[in-house]
């Protein structure tokens, strides 16, 4: 006799789990955005922003207009469909009927597409900042094709546009995909100025209400985070407050530095050294650094059996 449980018993066990806890399931509901199609839209955007680098590589002046028109047409359909799904999903979660969000989705999608040339212009400045800021970069092509920080910034600039337009869920799906691919976690709500460069990238965290000026450079492991999570008298998290720092123009923040707090301002042209912990504002043109640790050198013969 087989010791495997009967399929009917397994089915009933899963159904019982669904009944015990209604969370983490999408049953008896109608609307849910498609993560797959949202990420397909990201790929189309990469082709639009960096023609010839992603997707079709045989582009020339004769076929470029047709290619861009085809990309935009496909992108419009996908974005409009997913924006409508995101708006309907939010309405349903709030206890309202999802109704028809098609008109709002059409309006938002048109506004989003109209912003793409300006977004690309910002990204070109980011690419140049990465090339200028990293002596290891052999070419602009290397920055676009290989740098994880560049991919993270590209996706952020798209996600931020949708976030500002009030689209729920979709921007976060985009940003967390970039996070999983690059190790760089930028919330779509963060405001980032021009010529932004993240060097190496892994472990960088930029919180929702962070404001970053122009010509800012972050190294790996930098956290721009919240000092604490504000709560109301009933212990609920207070949202829509400035929880994360402001980094002004021309700032460089080195590896593993942590800057916390909504009232914390790192003034223009500051240099924040590696591994420092900043919770108070820093005046412009200031260098912030830890006191260098004292290092001891001993001859190997004198070291004995001491093992680090």
């Amino acid at each position: 006799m087989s010791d495997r449980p009967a399929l009917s018993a397994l089915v009933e066990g899963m159904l019982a789990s669904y009944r015990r806890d209604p969370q983490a399931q999408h049953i008896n509901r109608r609307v849910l955005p498609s993560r797959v199609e949202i990420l397909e839209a990201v790929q189309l955007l990469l082709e639009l922003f960096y023609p010839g680098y992603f997707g079709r590589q045989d582009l020339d002046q004769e076929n470029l207009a047709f290619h861009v028109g085809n990309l935009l047409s496909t992108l419009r359909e996908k974005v409009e469909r997913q924006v409508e799904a995101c708006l309907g999903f939010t309405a349903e979660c709030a206890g309202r009927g999802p109704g028809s969000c098609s008109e709002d989705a059409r309006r938002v999608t048109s506004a989003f597409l109209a912003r793409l040339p300006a977004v690309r212009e910002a990204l070109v400045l980011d690419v140049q900042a990465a090339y200028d800021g990293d002596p290891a970069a052999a070419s602009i092509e290397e920055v676009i094709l290989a740098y994880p920080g560049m991919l993270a910034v590209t996706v952020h600039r798209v996600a931020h546009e949708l976030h500002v337009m009030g689209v729920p869920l979709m921007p976060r799906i985009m940003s967390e995909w970039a996070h999983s691919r690059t190790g760089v976690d930028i919330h779509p709500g963060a405001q980032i100025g021009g010529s932004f460069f993240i060097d190496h990238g892994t472990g960088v965290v930029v919180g929702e209400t962070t404001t970053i000026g122009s010509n800012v450079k972050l190294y790996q492991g930098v956290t721009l985070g919240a000092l604490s999570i504000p709560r109301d008298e009933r212990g609920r998290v207070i949202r829509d407050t400035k929880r994360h720092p402001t980094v002004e123009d021309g700032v460089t923040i080195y590896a593993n530095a942590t800057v916390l707090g909504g009232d914390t301002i790192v003034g223009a042209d500051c240099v924040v050294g590696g591994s420092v912990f900043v919770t108070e504002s820093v005046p412009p043109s200031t260098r912030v650094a830890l006191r260098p640790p004292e290092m001891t050198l001993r001859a190997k013969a004198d070291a004995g059996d001491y093992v680090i």
Side-chain angles (χ1 to χ4, degrees), residues 5-258:
L7 180 60
S8 59
L10 293 173
V11 170
E12 182 52 41
M14 293 305 299
L15 294 176
S17 172
Y18 303 153
R19 289 191 291 267
R20 280 194 299 270
D21 192 337
Q23 298 186 91
Q25 56 174 279
H26 197 262
I27 302 169
N28 295 327
R29 293 164 65 181
R30 293 172 49 198
V31 185
L32 188 69
S34 167
R35 184 176 185 273
V36 170
E37 189 163 56
I38 289 170
L39 297 183
E40 288 173 352
V42 171
Q43 294 299 328
L44 292 172
L45 286 161
L46 289 174
E47 293 187 46
L48 280 167
F49 291 144
Y50 309 113
Y53 291 99
F54 297 91
R56 186 172 176 178
Q57 294 184 319
D58 62 340
L59 296 174
D60 55 37
Q61 292 305 318
E62 292 185 3
N63 61 29
L64 184 60
F66 173 81
H67 175 68
V68 171
N70 190 42
L71 287 176
L72 285 170
S73 178
T74 305
L75 180 65
R76 178 186 292 275
E77 292 177 4
K78 291 181 182 294
V79 170
E80 187 172 317
R81 187 160 47 241
Q82 291 311 309
V83 169
E84 183 175 359
C86 289
L87 295 174
F89 170 77
T90 301
E92 193 173 51
C93 287
R96 307 187 304 271
S100 176
C101 301
S102 58
E103 187 59 38
D104 287 339
R106 190 174 301 112
R107 173 183 54 79
V108 168
T109 300
S110 294
F112 171 71
L113 294 178
R115 287 286 301 155
L116 294 184
V119 173
R120 184 176 187 276
E121 289 177 10
L123 289 171
V124 170
L125 295 177
D126 296 329
V127 170
Q128 190 65 51
Y131 179 70
D132 293 342
D134 185 3
S139 65
I140 291 293
E141 287 74 16
E142 184 175 312
V143 171
I144 294 172
L145 291 172
Y147 276 37
M150 195 64 239
L151 177 60
V153 172
T154 300
V155 174
H156 170 75
R157 294 211 182 275
V158 170
H160 181 70
E161 293 292 331
L162 292 167
H163 177 85
V164 169
M165 293 175 185
V167 178
L169 196 55
M170 187 173 176
R172 199 65 187 271
I173 290 173
M174 291 178 168
S175 65
E176 292 301 340
W177 173 81
H179 180 196
S180 69
R181 290 288 300 272
T182 67
V184 177
D185 183 2
I186 311 176
H187 192 283
Q191 301 178 52
I192 299 178
S195 299
F196 180 56
F197 175 37
I198 300 175
D199 200 355
H200 303 296
T202 305
V204 167
V205 177
V206 180
E208 177 185 13
T209 61
T210 303
T211 300
I212 296 176
S214 299
N215 301 301
V216 170
K217 182 177 183 180
L218 306 182
Y219 282 81
Q220 70 273 18
V222 168
T223 297
L224 304 178
L227 186 58
S228 61
I229 301 175
R231 297 180 183 272
D232 62 18
E233 64 279 0
R234 298 172 63 181
R236 297 172 301 189
V237 172
I238 299 175
R239 305 183 189 278
D240 302 321
T241 59
K242 172 71 168 157
R243 308 184 309 280
H244 304 94
T246 296
V247 178
E248 295 184 342
D249 296 349
V251 171
T252 298
I253 305 181
Y254 282 97
N256 299 314
T258 299

Side-chain angles (χ1 to χ4, degrees), residues 123 263 282:
L123 289 171
D263 296 327
V282 179

